[in-house]
Amino acid sequence: MGREEMSLHSSIGARGRTMYKLFVASNLAGIMGILYYRATNIPHEGPFLRLLVWAAMSLSELWFGLYWLLTQSARWDPIYRSTSKDRLSNRFEGELPGVDAFVCTADPWKEPPLLVIGTVLSLMAYDYPPEKLSVYLSDDGGSHLTLYALLEASAFSKHWLPFCRKFKIEPRSPASFFSTDPDPRLTSSQEWSTMKSLYEDMAIRIESAVSLGRVPPEIREEHQRLFSEWNSGTNSGDHPAILKILIGGGDSKAVDVDGCPMPTLVYLAREKRPGYPHHFKAGAMNALLRVSAEVSNAPIILNVDCDMYSNDSQSVRDALCFFMDEKTGSRTAFVQFPQRFDNITKNDMYDASLLLITEVEFYGLDRFEGPLYIGSGCFHRRESLTGREYSEDFKGDLNGRMWSKPGGMRAAFLGLAATTLNDVLVQQTRWSGGDFQILMSRYSPFLCGPKKISLGLQMCYCIYCLWVPNCFPTLCYAIAPSFCLLCGIPMFPKISSLWLIPFVYVCISSYGYSLVEILCVGGTFKMWWNAQRMWMMRRVTSYFFAFLDFILKLVGMGEMKFTITSKVADAESESRYRNEIMEFGTASPMFILPTTLAIHHLVCWVVMVFRVVVKGLGVLDDLFVQAALCGFLVLISLPIYEAAFLLGNGKTERETEREMGERREEIPLHSSRRGRGRGMYRLLAGINLAGMVAVLFYRVTNIPHESLSLRLLWAAMTLSELWPSGGIPSTGPPSRIDSRSGKFAFHLQINLTTIRRLHLSQTCAAKFEEELPGVDAFVCTADPWKEPPLLVIGTVLSLMAYDYPPEKLSVYLSDDGGSDLTLYALLEASFFSKHWLPFCRKFKIEPRSPAAFFSAGAVPPLTSLQELSTMKSLYEDMANRIESAVSLGRVPPEIREEHQRLFSDWNPTTNSRDHPAILKVDGKMAAGLNATNYFAAPLIILIGGGDSKAVDLDVDGWPLPTLLRVSSEISNAPIILNVDCDMYSNDSQSVRDALCFFMDERTGRQVAFVQFPQKFNVTKNDIYDASLLSYNEVNSYGFDGFEGMMYIGSACFHRRDSLTGRKYSDDFNGDLNGRTWKKSLESADVLEERGKFLTSCTSEENTMWGTEVGLKYGCPVEDVITGIAIQCRGWRSVYFNPKRAAFIGAAPATLNDTLIQRERWAEGNFQIFLSRYCTFVYGKGKISLGLQMCYSIYGLWAPSSLPALCYAIAPSLCLLNNVSLFPKISTLWSIPFVYVTISTYGYSLVELLFLGGTFKFWWNGQRMWMIRRATSYFFAFLDSMLKLIGMGEMKFTITSKVVDADATARYENEIMEFGIASPMFILLTTVSVHNLVCLAAIVFKVVVHGIEVLDPLFFQATVCGSIVLLSLPIYEAAFVRKDKGKIPTSVAFIARD
């Protein structure tokens, strides 16, 4: 027989085609019957909505029918191929062509280097002449870790390749091989044990390097040529072209341990620069084509994904059987192997195995000689990729274009499927969106294909190109029938009608055939069921979002993106995947639609069941098909209900945050997880929202017509309940679902996205200890009488004692009062610190504020009692000297004499409003030695900004810009911490915690500031609700979920660049390397003289300071408005709340101070809301809508006083006059009012108890909710309105940190401190007395007329009684107490009148 007559491959057609074609014909007849029914039974009666739904259903069924017909083209006549590798070897062994294998990776976190080299080694170990084999690794992330892993693999391959040849093992990926159970005869050999040990040692070295984020220094030193292109500025989006040949195939030294030649091994990282398009994987493949043409130029190219290792070392020969066949091979462009996956669960929960595509449809495409190229597991002819057109005279030595499933059942390649639902849907979005773009482009099979490819192949391509439009008929079928079921509108024939037959037949035959198809290709019933669920989920998520993306690109509002499917997951996610529990975990927009549909179906189905129970089975005659469809969708959605409402304890919501852009690929320094229990919260929120809607519906449909005044009161109540901060029978705020207090929609938004962060400071220390950046700590004080110097230096000392290289730390104290007493206290602190800092380091004490440490009374472990006693004595002596000087109002003369340079700027005329610029650098500290002479000490500087009666200075915002300017001349550290003078550091590690976010290579460069919570020493039950507990423990996490925690003015670490007005851009390097940073080495005198101008009154004239640079002026909450401006410039912020409080401050100890502070906050936030910096205006398109809503929670504090006052006055006033404003308690309309009140207060109580509060703590919070809205917020609203019309000016009142002994005792005993005749107390007392009188009146009526009078007035009596109970401390202070903290008689007298 002639050589040309012996084919290298064969093919056979599929069996059973006659039965299949009979099935297709019968199913087509059923579809035609359905369409005929739709066309001849158009409803002409009933609502117009039914006609529209009927038309939509008809079009959907027409689409389903046409698409089903299209899918049959891939099933009509499949063909199955087999190869003859023996013939190939016999005829062509000496003529085998060269093969270039391309492996592509891009992200060492989503595609771990150890996984990548497993694929590389499996290709190098092909049963193929090694001198004809070249393996290229394209690293699109440009990571030196990947190159290091490849270097280790090249050394290991010298042992691995001979081992594979000798024992003919399969598979030849070492990770896969050693994870299986090989032949016991092999495992008992010494060679097997040695090889396994070699592999494990290599794996440990690679994983250790990855965990540390750096190549071992000795390796980098030994292979300087390999790693020379990497430096501190190299990252995944900005690096030069890197080409490294690790094993040269032509090199005589490139041999394994047996002396056999080795394949060529090449590492390539193509150049990437910001602003240049890189075209993702296609760009990487094209770069490999060009480079390989110069290195090896093999005529055959294999490309695989980095996770898809070769599972069969003979697959290259299988492919060549098609390429080298003399009869059929000359036209072959590529041979596509199926993509199989190694980690699919038994029942393929996500339908990710592509089973029907690879085992059914692609065989049908092969009949038309045109299987799709699917991006991996594919052998190409090089000429076909260079743009060459095929012609009959092409005489290439290679042949063929086929779909190959080699003889036997061994998969050629095995990869990793996505293990979370989000990854699956994102992947499907990319596939379907890309296919749809092809359909809508000039490459559409029906436009580009005629006369070039067969009509059958054109139709097969369109199966996938039309995935996206499938979303619309699917959504129609998922919504319309169940909605009409809810409304009792039939959309299908009656169950007693013969027209039901085609519907039933098509449904049973289609689903029955798909089930049989799955079972025939090795699936299970549950696998089929999971596929039906994913069929629906893909169409209502991936395909729908792919369509939206296409439309956005079409109108120029979108751009192409490529999301890498992660090949790693945390242990919990892996466990859930193995147990086939759906992994949601992220707050993806994709999950909103299927969850909404699932709840919609459940509600509709429950309503239908209720109707059947009430009215009998007769109601199903018209609605049977809709009920069955709705029930089917409910069953399909069971995992969604489980994930949304049952698995709330972190089982479906934990994730590792690694998403903020592609940066230099190193190990993350922090992680995060989503808040727990969101499922139950969403359910409660949904029910509560329904109750609120019912309340508003009652108001709208029951408007009284008796009198104009009553209608006005009714309108006021309605608007109060409608207002985002309105009130439904209540008097205080739940901390979360604030139906009447907290902008329900806004609070709902903030709670849907809570995120909690964890730091990895040990990793940070291991990686960056020598590169830690400089840190400038800013402390601000303004009045030595309200902020005692001893308190201030406690904060300063706690910062100086940070566990941080002291030569990289500078502490700046801004004294806006320009007091020599503050400077004296700082001088004393500088002397004391020389003893205090070594003591802190030696015994690792916490906290490191001496006042807080010694007041705690604890003795640290290993502390010498003698040293402790000595240190306490030193501190007490210093404290006595400082307090003595403050009480006398002057610095001791001997100190002033000794330190003339320090105190030279003070004279008898100097005061807090009129003094020169003062800058004092502690020269001894700058010199850098403390008492033990072992450690450098931090630099400390005092700044007294120039103040003049003729110059208007922004009171609180001004010191920080001054500190920015001065520090830039002295230390210029890239990281800045600012704290209030009373807020000492409670954790010496907090600076390192913050750096975990700034220095993370993946996410850090976009972080502008890291905000720690402000925590306070408050009483057990927090009488003034000053602990900000709900804000710190709930709301702030919600802010962080939108990547935009607000800046709250203290306990915040900043990136200096973000405070200088710089906008964030992708090319911002953000380098914080401390190796290149140094403090100024100039003398203290030089630094002081140069810095004084920067602190003067005129230093900001005609500059951008206060507008675009530094903190913004003109707003009482300059911190909040500055944070908004920073975030709108593209920066992100982070909220971090460690277990140990990072900072602890002093809360106001009197009610007046508390209310004045709240008034300033409310007024400032309201001013922002009314200004051009309103987040809905200034933030549009710059920050997310969710973050805009979060800011508005606080922006609307002030106007929330109006509905609160309405609810505090109107119901009780009408109660006094027997006018009902609520439904009778005996009517059903009372249910939503009762439910919303109980659920709201119940949730807020449970939340507070969960956060560690007490019932009395919660009760005090309700009281302060009422008091703040009736006083602080109302006066803030009035002040804002006066400023708006030009009748007011901004003021800033410093909260006093000093109270007398009696007031302190009352505060500790949780007795409210009034004490002064504040206008705020007049309104508060008046409202309280008013409600007391009204309650007394209704009690009298009940006694006289009986309990029946309460039926229409029950809710008003409840509101009134609640206010009276909350006001008990007010009545006590006004009428009972005799101490100085009572309400002054004048205030009580006015209130009674």
Side-chain angles (χ1 to χ4, degrees), residues 540-681:
V540 301
T541 56
S542 300
Y543 299 171
F544 180 68
F545 279 86
F547 178 80
L548 294 180
D549 286 344
F550 173 77
I551 296 300
L552 290 174
K553 292 185 185 107
L554 202 63
V555 298
M557 296 178 63
E559 59 182 17
M560 191 176 81
K561 54 184 181 290
F562 189 101
T563 303
I564 300 169
T565 304
S566 178
K567 310 304 187 298
V568 291
D570 60 52
E572 291 187 16
S573 296
E574 285 288 353
S575 176
R576 288 190 290 273
Y577 177 69
R578 288 194 298 271
N579 292 323
E580 298 194 333
I581 299 171
M582 271 197 165
E583 179 79 15
F584 292 82
T586 62
S588 170
M590 287 194 183
F591 299 154
I592 295 174
L593 192 53
T595 305
T596 303
L597 290 175
I599 294 173
H600 164 72
H601 298 141
L602 182 62
V603 170
C604 295
W605 191 74
V606 169
V607 169
M608 188 61 203
V609 170
F610 179 77
R611 285 178 184 163
V612 170
V613 171
V614 173
K615 299 181 180 180
L617 289 173
V619 299
L620 283 179
D621 190 28
D622 289 340
L623 302 171
F624 173 77
V625 178
Q626 286 159 260
L629 177 61
C630 188
F632 173 77
L633 293 174
V634 168
L635 290 176
I636 285 286
S637 302
L638 287 178
I640 299 177
Y641 305 133
E642 183 184 28
F645 307 126
L646 299 179
L647 299 180
N649 294 323
K651 295 182 180 178
T652 62
E653 298 200 35
R654 180 169 296 181
E655 60 171 346
T656 300
E657 183 182 78
R658 292 173 174 172
E659 74 275 4
M660 226 168 94
E662 297 178 327
R663 309 291 180 247
R664 191 177 101 197
E665 306 305 343
E666 306 288 351
I667 189 168
L669 301 182
H670 61 90
S671 63
S672 63
R673 63 175 176 82
R674 295 284 171 185
R676 300 177 178 179
R678 294 300 91 188
M680 290 303 296
Y681 171 77

Side-chain angles (χ1 to χ4, degrees), residues 149-441:
L150 196 64
L151 177 64
E152 287 281 1
S154 68
F156 174 74
S157 66
K158 296 179 181 181
H159 304 270
W160 177 247
L161 270 58
F163 179 79
C164 294
R165 282 195 299 267
K166 180 177 181 179
F167 294 104
K168 302 185 185 316
I169 66 169
E170 298 288 355
R172 296 191 175 183
S173 163
S176 178
F177 173 72
F178 288 119
S179 65
T180 58
D181 295 324
D183 188 334
R185 289 171 297 178
L186 177 60
T187 58
S188 63
S189 70
Q190 180 62 38
E191 289 175 276
W192 184 90
S193 300
T194 302
M195 190 56 58
K196 186 176 182 182
S197 178
L198 284 173
Y199 173 71
E200 290 174 345
D201 290 345
M202 177 190 68
I204 290 171
R205 289 194 299 273
I206 293 173
E207 290 182 336
S208 176
V210 172
S211 66
L212 292 174
R214 63 169 183 260
V215 176
E218 62 275 12
I219 299 296
R220 187 182 283 272
E221 180 68 25
E222 181 182 353
H223 300 276
Q224 292 183 18
R225 182 187 65 83
L226 286 181
F227 297 98
S228 59
E229 279 87 354
W230 278 272
N231 55 57
S232 59
T234 303
N235 60 62
S236 63
D238 188 2
H239 59 77
I242 304 171
L243 178 64
K244 303 294 179 184
I245 301 178
L246 281 80
I247 301 177
D251 187 353
S252 59
K253 297 180 180 179
V255 294
D256 58 30
V257 293
D258 288 348
C260 296
M262 297 185 67
T264 299
L265 182 61
V266 180
Y267 172 89
L268 171 66
R270 59 192 173 120
E271 182 181 17
K272 279 192 172 183
R273 300 298 181 195
Y276 287 84
H278 300 295
H279 306 295
F280 311 111
K281 184 179 176 180
M285 284 288 293
N286 286 340
L288 286 167
L289 275 171
R290 295 191 296 272
V291 171
S292 64
E294 296 294 325
V295 178
S296 51
N297 200 28
I300 298 298
I301 291 171
L302 162 66
N303 86 280
V304 293
D305 288 342
C306 66
D307 64 305
M308 189 154 282
Y309 66 86
S310 171
N311 190 54
D312 184 357
S313 62
Q314 296 290 319
S315 58
V316 61
R317 295 176 178 269
D318 286 323
L320 290 177
C321 287
F322 298 100
F323 283 117
M324 301 189 74
D325 187 87
E326 297 91 339
K327 288 185 177 181
T328 62
S330 64
R331 200 176 178 183
T332 297
F334 57 85
V335 177
Q336 178 67 64
F337 285 78
Q339 287 191 17
R340 306 276 180 82
F341 301 98
D342 201 16
N343 62 333
I344 297 294
T345 56
K346 178 183 178 182
N347 298 304
D348 191 12
M349 175 175 55
Y350 296 128
D351 191 28
S353 64
L354 309 177
L355 192 61
L356 287 181
I357 293 178
T358 58
E359 297 296 334
V360 178
E361 292 177 355
F362 273 17
Y363 289 112
L365 269 73
D366 202 17
R367 166 61 71 180
F368 299 112
E369 299 183 351
L372 280 70
Y373 167 40
I374 53 177
S376 182
C378 187
F379 289 85
H380 301 263
R381 183 191 297 276
R382 184 180 289 270
E383 285 96 335
S384 69
L385 291 175
T386 60
R388 176 170 184 165
E389 291 190 5
Y390 175 79
S391 61
E392 295 295 336
D393 59 353
F394 175 63
K395 300 299 182 181
D397 294 334
L398 307 174
N399 305 304
R401 169 176 160 181
M402 309 291 172
W403 168 250
S404 174
K405 180 181 179 181
M409 296 301 292
R410 186 171 190 88
F413 300 94
L414 285 177
L416 294 179
T419 58
T420 70
L421 182 59
N422 187 63
D423 283 345
V424 170
L425 296 180
V426 169
Q427 187 180 64
Q428 290 278 345
T429 301
R430 177 167 62 85
W431 292 350
S432 60
D435 288 337
F436 189 56
Q437 285 185 38
I438 293 173
L439 181 71
M440 303 303 289
S441 72

Side-chain angles (χ1 to χ4, degrees), residues 914-930:
D914 189 4
H915 58 79
I918 304 170
L919 175 64
K920 301 298 178 184
V921 180
D922 189 330
K924 294 180 181 178
M925 299 304 286
L929 294 179
N930 57 31

Side-chain angles (χ1 to χ4, degrees), residues 824-1087:
Y824 169 64
L826 193 63
L827 179 64
E828 287 281 1
S830 70
F831 296 141
F832 175 71
S833 67
K834 297 175 184 180
H835 304 273
W836 177 246
L837 269 58
F839 179 78
C840 293
R841 278 192 293 265
K842 181 177 181 180
F843 298 110
K844 302 186 187 311
I845 67 167
E846 299 288 354
R848 297 191 175 183
S849 163
F853 173 72
F854 290 121
S855 66
V859 179
L862 306 179
T863 303
S864 164
L865 293 178
Q866 178 61 41
E867 288 182 90
L868 179 65
S869 177
T870 301
M871 190 56 59
K872 186 175 183 180
S873 177
L874 284 172
Y875 173 70
E876 290 174 347
D877 290 345
M878 177 191 69
N880 290 334
R881 290 194 297 272
I882 293 173
E883 290 181 336
S884 175
V886 171
S887 64
L888 293 173
R890 66 172 184 269
V891 177
E894 63 277 12
I895 298 297
R896 187 181 287 273
E897 180 68 25
E898 182 182 353
H899 300 277
Q900 291 183 19
R901 184 186 67 83
L902 287 181
F903 297 97
S904 60
D905 296 289
W906 279 271
N907 58 58
T909 63
T910 303
N911 60 61
S912 63
R913 294 295 298 164
D914 189 4
H915 58 79
I918 304 170
L919 175 64
K920 301 298 178 184
V921 180
D922 189 330
K924 294 180 181 178
M925 299 304 286
L929 294 179
N930 57 31
T932 61
N933 290 332
Y934 291 128
F935 297 98
L939 183 68
I940 58 173
I941 302 99
L942 177 129
I943 301 172
D947 218 341
S948 171
K949 297 176 181 177
V951 180
D952 181 26
L953 300 176
D954 189 278
V955 178
D956 193 49
W958 190 81
L960 283 175
T962 304
L963 287 165
L964 274 172
R965 292 193 298 274
V966 172
S967 64
S968 68
E969 293 292 326
I970 298 175
S971 50
N972 198 30
I975 299 298
I976 291 170
L977 162 65
N978 85 281
V979 293
D980 288 342
C981 65
D982 64 308
M983 188 154 282
Y984 66 85
S985 171
N986 189 56
D987 183 358
S988 62
Q989 296 291 322
S990 57
V991 61
R992 294 176 179 269
D993 291 338
L995 290 177
C996 287
F997 299 98
F998 284 115
M999 300 189 73
D1000 186 89
E1001 295 88 354
R1002 298 175 54 82
T1003 65
R1005 69 176 186 171
Q1006 197 176 354
V1007 174
F1009 59 86
V1010 178
Q1011 180 67 66
F1012 285 79
Q1014 292 189 19
K1015 298 196 175 178
F1016 303 96
N1017 285 317
V1018 296
T1019 58
K1020 178 183 177 181
N1021 299 304
D1022 191 12
I1023 188 173
Y1024 296 129
D1025 191 27
S1027 63
L1028 307 177
L1029 186 62
S1030 292
Y1031 173 83
N1032 288 334
E1033 301 297 334
V1034 182
N1035 285 17
S1036 295
Y1037 289 115
F1039 265 94
D1040 204 18
F1042 292 110
E1043 302 178 355
M1045 173 58 191
M1046 67 194 303
Y1047 168 38
I1048 53 177
S1050 182
C1052 187
F1053 288 84
H1054 301 263
R1055 185 189 297 275
R1056 184 181 289 269
D1057 291 312
S1058 69
L1059 289 173
T1060 60
R1062 176 170 185 163
K1063 289 185 178 180
Y1064 174 79
S1065 61
D1066 289 335
D1067 59 356
F1068 173 64
N1069 186 28
D1071 185 20
L1072 298 176
N1073 192 337
R1075 294 180 186 273
T1076 61
W1077 171 88
K1078 290 183 179 179
K1079 296 177 183 178
S1080 173
L1081 299 178
E1082 295 176 307
S1083 68
D1085 291 335
V1086 173
L1087 293 175

Side-chain angles (χ1 to χ4, degrees), residues 52-216:
L52 290 178
V53 173
W54 190 275
M57 295 281 289
S58 302
L59 292 174
S60 298
E61 289 158 353
L62 177 61
W63 172 268
F64 284 141
L66 293 174
Y67 187 76
W68 174 83
L69 198 59
L70 191 66
T71 60
Q72 302 317 301
S73 62
R75 291 170 167 80
W76 194 253
D77 193 13
I79 188 172
Y80 301 92
R81 300 184 184 275
S82 59
T83 60
S84 300
K85 293 189 288 291
D86 291 341
R87 294 178 185 175
L88 176 74
S89 297
N90 292 335
R91 290 156 52 182
F92 295 111
E93 190 64 34
E95 305 172 23
L96 292 175
V99 176
D100 288 346
F102 295 170
V103 182
C104 296
T105 185
D107 186 327
W109 305 119
K110 293 185 176 180
E111 299 166 336
L114 193 60
L115 173 76
V116 175
I117 66 164
T119 299
V120 169
L121 287 166
S122 72
L123 300 179
M124 293 178 69
Y126 263 147
D127 182 11
Y128 201 72
E131 66 276 6
K132 295 184 178 182
L133 182 62
S134 301
V135 180
Y136 294 77
L137 175 62
S138 170
D139 177 16
D140 237 24
S143 172
H144 60 318
L145 296 174
T146 303
L147 176 57
Y148 169 64
L150 196 64
L151 177 64
E152 287 281 1
S154 68
F156 174 74
S157 66
K158 296 179 181 181
H159 304 270
W160 177 247
L161 270 58
F163 179 79
C164 294
R165 282 195 299 267
K166 180 177 181 179
F167 294 104
K168 302 185 185 316
I169 66 169
E170 298 288 355
R172 296 191 175 183
S173 163
S176 178
F177 173 72
F178 288 119
S179 65
T180 58
D181 295 324
D183 188 334
R185 289 171 297 178
L186 177 60
T187 58
S188 63
S189 70
Q190 180 62 38
E191 289 175 276
W192 184 90
S193 300
T194 302
M195 190 56 58
K196 186 176 182 182
S197 178
L198 284 173
Y199 173 71
E200 290 174 345
D201 290 345
M202 177 190 68
I204 290 171
R205 289 194 299 273
I206 293 173
E207 290 182 336
S208 176
V210 172
S211 66
L212 292 174
R214 63 169 183 260
V215 176

